């Protein structure tokens, strides 16, 4: 018995250096991806089984907040990967010089638009939409203009300065209204319940009954169908069309684990990983193939292409939005 214990202790001592040598992949992401119901934990567990490493997710309120933190950290950042900005922030992120090329194949990708970035790699997408409860709102708006004009509708959306979802609405409104966008914001402000910093906060307020509609994604009702067996929540189709958000990941130039980070990017578009992301992050997969029957049976939403906009234009739009909602 003593010999057995000694042998066991010896094997543990020899194993300790092996554990100590395991690299850690640090991934900055947003809170709904990293919370206890999100995709981060099952993805980390699955990747750790093959990489002999540790995956550490560091959550932030939203993608823009996360990106701003990385800009502040600069060369001192401990992050290896940033996961959770979208295609509309890609030009600004590429100009920051904080990221290196992903070196990943583009052929497997199946997206609403052709992907060309050599720096950021997609892992999911969905269209922006306003979600409502069919049992409480019998006559939902059929267009973005109706949503803006109907003063008896209580609306919640996200701050475009801190939230990628809110930034999507900024693009959406300016795409539809053009030079009349500021007037639209002023009209919408009159029946906006709150503008939250991030998606989790605002969607939670909507579920508590604080608003008739909340800005989210066309895929959001799937969460309630999958996990609550509830079909009362739905996305309102708008006649002008819906802008799609493509979420992406990028490797930090300061990463000590660039090869491991690239391995993780390849892992993210594997079929099993895409299923985890689709069913936990409630978004659409970026590869072809059957991921979940409910996804393939979703109704079609009219697409609306949003062109890439220069940062100066975004700043101008943000200033107009802020001025409109502060009145």
């Amino acid at each position: 018995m003593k010999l057995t214990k000694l042998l066991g202790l010896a094997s543990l001592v020899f194993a300790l250096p092996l554990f100590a040598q395991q690299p850690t992949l640090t991934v900055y992401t947003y809170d709904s991806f990293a919370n206890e119901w999100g995709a981060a934990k099952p993805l980390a567990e699955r990747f750790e089984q093959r990489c002999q490493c540790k995956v550490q997710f560091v959550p932030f309120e939203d993608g823009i907040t996360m990106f701003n933190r990385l800009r502040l950290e600069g060369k001192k950042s401990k992050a290896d990967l940033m996961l959770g900005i979208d295609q509309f922030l890609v030009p600004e992120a590429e100009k920051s010089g904080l990221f290196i090329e992903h070196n990943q194949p583009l052929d497997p990708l199946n997206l609403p638009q052709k992907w060309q970035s050599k720096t950021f790699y997609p892992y999911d997408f969905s269209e922006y939409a306003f979600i409502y409860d069919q049992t409480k709102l019998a006559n939902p708006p059929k267009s973005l203009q109706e949503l803006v004009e109907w003063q008896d509708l209580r609306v919640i959306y996200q701050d475009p300065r801190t939230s990628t979802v809110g930034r999507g609405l900024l693009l959406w409104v300016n795409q539809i209204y053009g030079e009349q966008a500021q007037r639209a914001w002023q009209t919408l402000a009159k029946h906006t319940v709150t503008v939250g910093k991030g998606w989790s906060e605002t969607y939670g307020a909507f579920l508590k009954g604080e608003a008739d509609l909340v800005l989210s994604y066309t895929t959001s009702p799937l969460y309630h169908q999958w996990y609550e067996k509830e079909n009362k929540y739905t996305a309102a189709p708008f006649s002008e069309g819906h802008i799609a958000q493509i979420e992406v990941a990028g490797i930090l130039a300061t990463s000590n684990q660039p090869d491991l980070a690239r391995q993780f990017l390849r892992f993210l578009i594997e079929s099993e990983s895409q299923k985890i992301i689709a069913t936990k992050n409630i978004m659409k997969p970026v590869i072809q193939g059957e991921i979940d029957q409910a996804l393939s049976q979703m109704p079609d939403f009219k697409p609306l292409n949003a062109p890439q906009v220069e940062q100066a234009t975004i700043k101008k739009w943000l200033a107009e939005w802020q001025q409109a909602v502060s009145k």
Side-chain angles (χ1 to χ4, degrees):
M1 178 67 82
K2 290 182 179 180
L3 179 60
T4 303
K5 288 183 178 180
L6 286 172
L7 289 172
L9 181 60
S11 64
L12 179 60
V13 170
F14 284 117
L16 285 175
L18 296 177
F19 286 113
Q21 292 170 10
Q22 282 191 344
T24 297
L25 187 71
T26 301
V27 183
Y28 281 12
T29 190
Y30 48 85
D31 56 6
S32 61
F33 195 92
N35 67 25
E36 60 182 307
W37 302 283
K41 184 178 179 181
L43 287 173
E45 290 174 348
R46 187 166 176 267
F47 188 68
E48 287 171 351
Q49 291 175 1
R50 70 170 67 173
C51 73
Q52 298 301 307
C53 68
K54 178 70 176 175
V55 180
Q56 179 183 26
F57 281 93
V58 180
F60 294 84
E61 279 187 299
D62 208 277
I64 296 175
T65 303
M66 171 180 60
F67 176 48
N68 287 337
R69 170 64 68 85
L70 281 170
R71 289 199 286 197
L72 286 172
E73 292 177 349
K75 294 181 179 180
K76 296 180 180 180
S77 180
K78 302 298 184 183
D80 297 295
L81 272 169
M82 178 181 70
L83 185 154
I85 66 166
D86 61 28
Q87 80 270 34
F88 304 116
L89 266 176
V90 162
E92 183 181 350
E94 288 179 334
K95 289 178 182 177
S96 72
L98 294 172
F99 303 90
I100 59 176
E101 292 190 4
H102 56 67
N103 296 341
Q104 303 301 310
L106 301 181
D107 292 344
L109 299 176
N110 181 38
L111 293 164
Q113 65 188 59
K114 184 178 180 180
W115 194 254
Q116 296 179 320
S117 175
K118 295 180 179 180
T119 309
F120 291 93
Y121 204 55
Y123 62 89
D124 70 17
F125 78 96
S126 187
E127 302 85 1
Y128 297 115
F130 279 87
I131 307 301
Y132 68 99
D133 182 340
Q134 297 178 87
T135 65
K136 296 180 179 179
L137 186 62
N139 186 27
K142 296 176 177 61
S143 67
L144 184 62
Q145 290 182 319
E146 285 188 357
L147 175 92
V148 168
E149 298 294 335
W150 286 7
Q151 293 298 303
D152 56 343
L153 291 176
R154 298 173 302 153
V155 177
I156 290 178
Y157 64 92
Q158 299 79 16
D159 191 327
R161 296 168 299 180
T162 57
S163 166
T164 59
V165 190
R167 184 69 62 90
L169 183 61
L170 185 78
L171 294 168
W172 203 0
V173 168
N174 278 276
Q175 183 84 333
I176 300 302
Y177 281 91
E179 294 181 358
Q180 299 300 313
Q182 190 166 19
R183 183 196 66 80
W185 288 122
Q186 291 171 348
T187 304
L188 181 60
K190 295 175 183 178
H191 58 107
T192 297
V193 176
T194 188
V195 178
K197 290 188 69 175
W199 178 88
S200 297
E201 171 191 339
T202 52
Y203 203 81
F206 162 72
L207 293 179
K208 291 177 183 177
E210 295 179 17
D212 300 305
L213 300 107
V214 62
L215 178 64
S216 191
Y217 300 96
T218 58
T219 48
S220 294
L222 291 176
Y223 168 82
H224 304 284
Q225 295 172 26
W226 284 334
Y227 296 101
E228 299 173 346
K229 308 302 179 186
E230 180 61 77
N231 293 306
K232 66 181 181 179
Y233 298 105
T234 191
F238 284 173
S239 59
E240 303 99 335
H242 297 254
I243 294 173
Q245 180 192 51
I246 301 172
E247 294 193 297
V248 301
I251 304 169
L252 273 297
T254 53
S255 171
N256 293 321
Q257 313 288 342
D259 292 338
L260 189 60
R262 289 188 174 100
Q263 184 182 345
F264 189 77
L265 291 183
R266 289 193 295 274
F267 161 79
L268 285 178
I269 68 162
E270 292 178 4
S271 179
E272 185 60 32
S273 300
Q274 285 288 285
K275 184 173 183 179
I276 291 170
I277 293 170
T279 55
K280 294 290 186 179
N281 210 36
I282 322 298
M283 298 284 274
K284 295 180 179 180
V286 298
I287 59 172
Q288 289 183 324
E290 183 67 33
I291 299 298
D292 189 277
Q293 189 176 11
L295 279 166
S296 60
Q297 293 176 346
M298 279 188 63
D300 292 329
F301 288 81
K302 181 181 176 181
L304 177 65
N305 294 325
Q308 290 289 355
V309 180
E310 293 294 329
Q311 185 61 22
T313 302
I314 293 291
K315 288 182 178 179
K316 174 178 176 291
W317 289 351
L318 285 171
E320 290 175 352
W321 168 81
Q322 193 166 7
Q323 184 180 13
V325 300
S326 61
K327 289 183 176 181

